Amino acid sequence: MNDILSYEFMQRALLAAVITGLTAPAIGTYLVQRRLALLGDGIGHIALTGVAAGLLTNTQPLVTAVIVSVLGAVAIELLRTYGRTSGDVALALLFYGGIAGGVLLTNLAGGSAATLNGYLFGSINTISGTDLVIVAVLGAVVLLLAVGLSPQLFAVCQDEEHARVSGVPVQAYGILIAVLAAVTVTVSMRTVGLLLVSALMVVPVAAAQQLTRSFRGTFVLAMGIGTFAALTGVLGSYEIDTQPGPTIVIVALGIFLVLAPVGHLVRSTRRRLSSTNDPVEEAA
């Protein structure tokens, strides 16, 4: 273990893994609550166009990916709210347009589709110091807003109509959730890759829901599971010589498979105890 930590690239990789493991499930909890679990996939595809735009203009791909992803996320939210296009159709449009735009711009930049592999599936071991600084700053902003505005964001995700009647600016917070999801996707793309980032946003949340009974409990436990999966996946990939992104997702899925039967047992026990404690009225 000490030998692994002595490498600077591994130190950067582990720091990026911690940031990703915290931010992805934090925003994923809101997306799952809002029934927009696939939003991360849609944003991931449009972020590919942002990466390609960076390659074409010789600018930092992470920065251009953030800009394009935010614009795409806002477009999805506006289409879902005001347009006649349903949410799943809007996501499908981003799926196809993002992939096509990314490959086209990469070709124009003189590269091939293989150039995008490091962004599609993650390349955390090659993350630079500059990348890490950008990831750390963006991750801190996402966590600050996700935690600091949790009451308002939860209200919007739980019941939009009730939140609107209560005076909560639903549209503004809806757009904020979409923007935070976009930033999270770009933060995570060097860790797990654009094609797998949605898994890290959803699977830890699904795993946490097996044991928790409240939104706050799910929120905290999902971040813990995400961080554990990210760190274990990075260290495991180094030991068995695999790509970190898929390894992280497999670890998260393994945690879900372990917790699912445990959660079922816990819920069954709670129901049994509840029925035992309920007073029984006998007929006279």
Side-chain angles (χ1 to χ4, degrees):
M1 178 65 69
N2 291 332
D3 291 338
I4 296 177
L5 296 179
S6 65
Y7 298 118
E8 288 188 10
F9 78 89
M10 184 57 68
Q11 295 171 7
R12 292 194 296 268
L14 291 174
L15 287 173
V18 170
I19 296 169
T20 302
L22 289 172
T23 55
I27 298 304
T29 307
Y30 293 114
L31 297 182
V32 170
Q33 188 72 24
R34 211 177 184 202
R35 295 177 177 83
L36 289 174
L38 292 179
L39 181 63
D41 266 334
I43 296 174
H45 284 70
I46 198 67
L48 192 63
T49 299
V51 170
L55 297 176
L56 181 63
T57 58
N58 290 320
T59 55
Q60 171 61 258
L62 191 57
V63 175
T64 54
V66 169
I67 295 171
V68 174
S69 298
V70 167
L71 293 175
V74 172
I76 290 178
E77 183 64 20
L78 294 178
L79 281 173
R80 192 182 71 86
T81 305
Y82 296 114
R84 300 180 62 183
T85 305
S86 61
D88 58 341
V89 173
L91 285 174
L93 293 175
L94 282 188
F95 270 49
Y96 308 138
I99 286 289
V103 174
L104 178 62
L105 292 180
T106 301
N107 290 338
L108 292 175
S112 64
T115 307
L116 300 175
N117 277 347
Y119 298 95
L120 287 173
F121 300 103
S123 182
I124 193 171
N125 291 335
T126 62
I127 190 170
S128 66
T130 301
D131 289 338
L132 183 60
V133 170
I134 296 174
V135 166
V137 171
L138 293 177
V141 171
V142 169
L143 286 175
L144 181 64
L145 292 175
V147 174
L149 296 177
S150 58
Q152 296 90 331
L153 297 180
F154 172 73
V156 171
C157 295
Q158 180 70 10
D159 190 336
E160 285 191 11
E161 291 303 320
H162 182 268
R164 186 174 287 109
V165 171
S166 301
V168 177
V170 172
Q171 185 61 59
Y173 283 118
I175 291 177
L176 178 60
I177 292 173
V179 169
L180 291 178
V183 175
T184 301
V185 166
T186 52
V187 164
S188 307
M189 71 179 182
R190 294 303 299 272
T191 309
V192 293
L194 294 173
L195 293 183
L196 296 174
V197 62
S198 186
L200 195 59
M201 297 173 78
V202 174
V203 176
V205 179
Q209 287 178 330
Q210 304 305 309
L211 300 180
T212 58
R213 304 177 69 179
S214 67
F215 177 84
R216 185 181 298 275
T218 300
F219 186 85
V220 174
L221 182 57
M223 288 196 294
I225 292 173
T227 304
F228 176 81
L231 289 173
T232 304
V234 170
L235 293 173
S237 68
Y238 180 85
E239 294 293 339
I240 62 178
D241 194 23
T242 57
Q243 283 187 290
T247 308
I248 291 171
V249 173
I250 291 298
V251 171
L253 287 170
I255 295 173
F256 172 81
L257 292 176
V258 170
L259 293 184
V262 174
H264 176 73
L265 179 62
V266 170
R267 290 190 296 273
S268 298
T269 303
R270 286 172 179 165
R271 285 195 295 267
R272 187 162 55 250
L273 291 176
S274 177
S275 61
T276 302
N277 293 332
D278 285 342
V280 179
E281 294 183 8
E282 297 184 1

